[in-house]
Amino acid sequence: MNRCAVSVVPRQPLLDWAVGLGLELPGEAAREAGLYLLPPYATDAEAEGLLRRAHAVIFETELAVWCPVQHLWPQDRSYGVFRRWFEPRFHPLVQDLVAGGSLTADSSKAAVLAAVAARAPLAGDDAMPERTGMPLPLRILAGVGALSFLLIGLNSLLLPPAAPPAAPPQPSAGQAT
């Protein structure tokens, strides 16, 4: 699966709205995030644009979880209100580890490595997406780590397993050791 995702974590204005309706907040579950698949994106600006286009559907889905009675929903469901009511967190890689309804290790290994290869910046790659909030040295380190992971993974797929060391020759009967 070559997809990205956004999770939306409820903020205090949503919780205040729910309390105002007399809804009982389910403790820690009130802070659980909803997760929504997005098409692939390369930059934070692209991710934000995708969220802007999808916010109405996400907003209404989240409201329906809290209160299925639509006439009780807030009238203003603009993007600005959405951003005040939810904290979006972008996930640039979503990997499907379930094939045919069950967790599989073999089918996912090559897919994971292919996904990492598609995301790993190469040396001299000027198109590396800018990730806000992360200092340049950490972005470089993250890119090097992803590339190292890719190379180690490719080695494990391409190289045959090492043969166990050969046993030392056994002395024949009558031969001194």
Side-chain angles (χ1 to χ4, degrees):
M1 173 187 299
N2 186 16
R3 299 296 276 294
C4 300
V6 63
S7 58
V8 291
V9 179
R11 294 184 194 235
Q12 196 60 47
L14 173 72
L15 301 177
D16 293 342
W17 167 78
V19 168
L21 291 177
L23 301 176
E24 189 172 320
L25 298 182
E28 285 299 311
R31 292 289 186 180
E32 289 293 320
L35 185 67
Y36 299 89
L37 293 178
L38 296 173
Y41 58 84
T43 66
D44 289 341
E46 286 179 38
E48 191 68 35
L50 291 168
L51 180 61
R52 185 175 287 278
R53 288 194 300 270
H55 90 275
V57 172
I58 296 171
F59 204 165
E60 290 181 0
T61 302
E62 290 293 317
L63 289 172
V65 168
W66 287 87
C67 175
V69 183
Q70 290 184 9
H71 75 271
L72 296 177
W73 294 356
Q75 291 298 310
D76 184 1
R77 295 191 291 271
S78 65
Y79 187 68
V81 172
F82 173 78
R83 289 302 301 251
R84 283 192 300 277
W85 283 37
F86 298 97
E87 176 188 346
R89 296 179 183 161
F90 293 100
H91 308 276
L93 175 63
V94 175
Q95 187 59 50
D96 186 3
L97 298 180
V98 179
S102 63
L103 184 64
T104 61
D106 295 339
S107 63
S108 64
K109 186 187 277 187
V112 168
L113 291 173
V116 170
R119 292 278 179 197
L122 301 175
D125 184 2
D126 294 332
M128 186 166 107
E130 196 66 26
R131 299 286 179 212
T132 59
M134 184 183 286
L136 179 61
L138 290 179
R139 287 196 315 259
I140 292 169
L141 187 59
V144 170
L147 189 55
S148 298
F149 173 76
L150 171 67
L151 294 175
I152 292 168
L154 286 175
N155 279 339
S156 69
L157 283 177
L158 300 175
L159 298 177
Q170 297 295 325
S172 59
Q175 187 178 10
T177 56

